[in-house]
Amino acid sequence: MTSTFSFWDYAVFICYAILILGVGLWMSRSKEGHERNEEDYFLASKSLPWWAIGASLIAANISAEQFIGMSGSGFASGLAIASYEWMAALTLLIVGKYFLPIFIEKGLYTIPEFVEKRYSTNLKTILAVFWIALYVFVNLASVLYLGSLALETIMGIPMIYGVLGLSLFAAAYSLYGGLSAVAWTDVIQVVFLVLGGLVTTYLALDTVSGGNGVIAGLETVYERVPERFAMILNKSNPEYTNLPGISVLVGGMWVANLYYWGFNQYIIQRTLAAKSLKEAQKGILLAACLKLVIPLIVVIPGIAAYVIINDPEIMANLGSMANNNLPSLDQADKAYPWLLQFLPVGLKGVAFAALAAAIVSSLASMLNSTSTIFTMDIYKQYINKTAKSSTLVNVGRISAGVALLIACVMAPLLGGIDQAFQFIQEYTGVVSPGILAVFILGLFWKKTTNKAAIIGALVSIPIAMYFKVAPKGWSDSPIFIDIPFMNQMGYTFLLTALVMVVISLMQNKGAEDPHGIQLSKKLFKTGPVFNVGAFAVMIVLVVLYSLFWN
């Protein structure tokens, strides 16, 4: 291990770990005289208050992908990557008002369960298998890889030991306690996450300003690299292919965000565990407010690191340690771990606890959701239809353990992938447009048929792959070649939806599908707290984009 991690840093981190494990195991205990059932394990007994939901949504979302991946993208491209966070705030409001009322009314455990009620068991199974594979081979593996990268960079811990350590930490309380243990520890994780992130941001900006504070640091960064504060990139920008201009506001980013926040099991599961719809919506609002400030702790440090590295005077003042694991445009994901080594004694432990909190909370959330889908949509459906509650809980624990073992094997194989956040977005961008089309039309168009949904889900993948891999020369039309992946998602969604509409109209001759959802204005009525909060969030977004448009 490197000498830069002191005794007090270890002490702070160990205290954090003991606190999380203690709270997780305490929340995992069974109440006297009550045998834990599937609702207790997978939906926290439907007892979560709004503040726990909001905190847990952020803890599940903010992981190594954001701390390391988005800081890396901030280093490489600037503030534009923050659109994922700021547009997510608006997306959360839409999910809270229009999606949640339907999900909670139907009493769902899993998102595939909605597919069964709206379409068919066959389509539910197809999507359940897909989500399990995505969570295990992409999400869990990438979070483990990026977390282990941080351990290796900061503390010198070999990748394999980092993978095992993080896995055991997350498994210690989440496998036994289920969603209740995950959600309540997330409240603590978010405190560490935000405070630790702010500490790193303060250090980076204070370093840039030569010790004159955060505000002076922000001014200096903006003066040095004003082009990296442009939210809407033009085609001359090297990162335009990742963040294609106005498309981040009106194009494919809506596909990514609506899919992630509206139909992603490990996100939406928290809201399904709410005491009531009103509590879930207030939790969504809290998460949207927190999303507005997340770029301050995950993107700004990356931009500041870029300024520091390109300033010989600052680098000289930092000493020889500044040349350790130096980030570059080709290895941008090293930016955040590189910054942590300059934190003073004790604070480095706090910042590292924040990073660990982000990683472990996301791992625990993904494990719980993977086991929920496997247990409720695969095991109970096909293997043991009459399984007792205790059996379902045990199967959930075992399946989570197996998923974690597979992810541990896959994680080291992701080495060499730069800007991992972009990698994850591009990979899920192949499948998310088709799934989003299935859900959006299923929710809001009563004529959508099961046949159309199955064909649409299957056809969307070759459509997306064509946009992704078709080389120049296959077509004289530029719309089919060299398209930014975000635009690819938008085109794939529209084409998939068109296929589904045509098939539905042909099959039912324009009649409504018998499984179509009956909607009413009353279903989407929200309370004054949500309405006022949502309006405030939208005003803040308008101001932010006005200030940093280009």
Side-chain angles (χ1 to χ4, degrees):
M1 296 185 184
T2 65
S3 58
T4 58
F5 215 71
S6 73
F7 167 80
W8 291 111
D9 294 314
Y10 286 115
V12 169
F13 183 76
I14 290 170
C15 287
Y16 149 76
I18 292 173
L19 177 62
I20 293 299
L21 288 175
V23 171
L25 293 175
W26 175 259
M27 297 305 302
S28 300
R29 75 195 193 285
S30 298
K31 295 178 181 178
E32 188 175 349
H34 174 71
E35 182 181 15
R36 180 168 296 181
N37 57 36
E38 61 268 36
E39 184 176 289
D40 298 329
Y41 187 79
F42 297 119
L43 291 183
S45 306
K46 291 192 175 181
S47 62
L48 295 183
W50 64 271
W51 47 273
I53 293 168
S56 191
L57 282 169
I58 295 300
N61 166 242
I62 301 298
S63 180
E65 297 171 29
Q66 276 75 17
F67 267 111
I68 299 176
M70 289 194 80
S71 287
S73 294
F75 183 95
S77 60
L79 190 62
I81 196 69
S83 281
Y84 277 103
E85 302 301 309
W86 288 343
M87 292 303 291
L90 185 56
T91 305
L92 278 163
L93 301 179
I94 294 172
V95 171
K97 184 171 180 64
Y98 295 108
F99 297 175
L100 266 190
I102 300 173
F103 292 159
I104 290 181
E105 182 190 50
K106 292 187 173 296
L108 303 180
Y109 276 82
T110 68
I111 290 298
E113 187 181 353
F114 167 79
V115 176
E116 181 177 37
K117 293 183 177 183
R118 176 58 180 88
Y119 293 115
S120 68
T121 300
N122 288 338
L123 183 56
K124 178 195 80 168
T125 303
I126 292 171
L127 293 182
V129 171
F130 155 73
W131 266 310
I132 291 171
L134 182 69
Y135 290 163
V136 173
F137 291 101
V138 179
N139 295 101
L140 280 169
S142 62
V143 170
L144 279 173
Y145 164 70
L146 287 171
S148 301
L149 174 65
L151 290 173
E152 188 174 47
T153 303
I154 300 165
M155 300 172 65
I157 298 174
M159 173 72 68
I160 187 63
Y161 295 121
V163 168
L164 292 175
L166 291 170
S167 300
L168 291 173
F169 191 1
Y173 66 92
S174 65
L175 263 62
Y176 183 73
L179 184 60
S180 179
V182 173
W184 289 108
T185 53
D186 279 349
V187 176
I188 301 170
Q189 306 270 37
V190 162
V191 173
F192 276 96
L193 189 154
V194 173
L195 291 180
L198 288 174
V199 164
T200 307
T201 301
Y202 175 84
L203 164 90
L205 294 176
D206 191 59
T207 300
V208 168
S209 68
N212 292 319
V214 172
I215 302 301
L218 275 172
E219 292 174 352
T220 302
V221 170
Y222 186 78
E223 290 172 1
R224 298 278 184 87
V225 285
E227 73 280 359
R228 289 181 180 263
F229 283 83
M231 293 298 298
I232 308 300
L233 305 181
N234 57 46
K235 291 185 178 181
S236 63
N237 193 297
E239 291 296 318
Y240 180 84
T241 54
N242 290 327
L243 298 161
I246 198 68
S247 290
V248 300
L249 296 184
V250 297
M253 185 169 285
W254 280 107
V255 176
N257 276 341
L258 285 172
Y259 164 78
Y260 180 87
W261 292 103
F263 310 110
N264 187 345
Q265 178 68 24
Y266 74 82
I267 293 296
I268 211 70
Q269 190 167 344
R270 279 115 184 87
T271 61
L272 300 179
K275 291 179 178 179
S276 65
L277 173 60
K278 297 298 182 185
E279 286 290 295
Q281 288 173 328
K282 286 191 287 186
I284 284 269
L285 178 61
L286 173 61
C289 293
L290 291 173
K291 272 292 174 185
L292 296 177
V293 300
I294 292 299
L296 184 63
I297 63 177
V298 298
V299 180
I300 294 299
I303 303 175
Y306 179 82
V307 172
I308 293 170
I309 283 172
N310 287 281
D311 188 314
E313 183 178 346
I314 295 177
M315 289 292 286
N317 291 335
L318 291 175
S320 60
M321 189 169 58
N323 293 316
N324 295 335
N325 295 299
L326 199 67
S328 64
L329 291 178
D330 293 328
Q331 293 182 311
D333 281 340
K334 289 185 175 182
Y336 196 86
W338 179 77
L339 282 173
L340 293 190
Q341 65 184 327
F342 302 113
L343 284 169
V345 171
L347 288 181
K348 185 179 295 182
V350 174
F352 192 64
L355 182 58
I359 297 165
V360 172
S361 62
S362 291
L363 282 176
S365 299
M366 292 172 189
L367 286 173
N368 184 256
S369 294
T370 303
S371 68
T372 303
I373 293 176
F374 175 81
T375 304
M376 303 304 292
D377 296 319
I378 303 296
Y379 180 81
K380 190 176 181 181
Q381 179 78 43
Y382 295 104
I383 301 173
N384 189 353
K385 293 183 178 181
T386 60
K388 296 186 300 182
S389 293
S390 58
T391 302
L392 294 175
V393 171
N394 287 332
V395 169
R397 291 167 177 160
I398 294 170
S399 59
V402 172
L404 190 57
L405 285 174
I406 296 172
C408 286
V409 174
M410 293 298 301
L413 302 180
L414 295 180
I417 297 175
D418 188 48
Q419 290 197 62
F421 183 79
Q422 292 289 0
F423 160 74
I424 294 165
Q425 297 305 316
E426 289 202 39
Y427 188 92
T428 43
V430 171
V431 291
S432 58
I435 294 175
L436 180 64
V438 168
F439 276 99
I440 293 295
L441 291 179
L443 283 169
F444 302 111
W445 195 49
K446 298 174 186 176
K447 297 179 181 180
T448 312
T449 65
N450 175 57
K451 180 180 179 180
I454 292 176
I455 293 175
L458 295 176
V459 165
S460 69
I461 296 177
I463 292 174
M465 290 305 298
Y466 178 76
F467 284 131
K468 190 171 183 62
V469 303
K472 291 182 179 180
W474 279 27
S475 171
D476 294 330
S477 174
I479 195 172
F480 291 111
I481 52 176
D482 294 335
I483 302 172
F485 89 92
M486 198 174 289
N487 291 345
Q488 293 173 20
M489 288 193 292
Y491 294 142
T492 302
F493 170 77
L494 293 174
L495 289 173
T496 302
L498 178 62
V499 169
M500 290 177 61
V501 168
V502 170
I503 293 174
S504 296
L505 293 175
M506 291 174 61
Q507 186 179 359
N508 275 0
K509 309 297 183 184
E512 292 183 1
D513 187 80
H515 296 291
I517 298 174
Q518 301 301 317
L519 304 176
S520 65
K521 290 184 179 179
K522 184 180 179 181
L523 183 65
F524 301 118
K525 187 177 181 180
T526 49
V529 172
F530 183 87
N531 293 338
V532 173
F535 183 74
V537 168
M538 289 187 284
I539 291 296
V540 172
L541 285 173
V542 169
V543 171
L544 288 172
Y545 274 96
S546 298
L547 289 173
F548 300 112
W549 185 265
N550 54 36

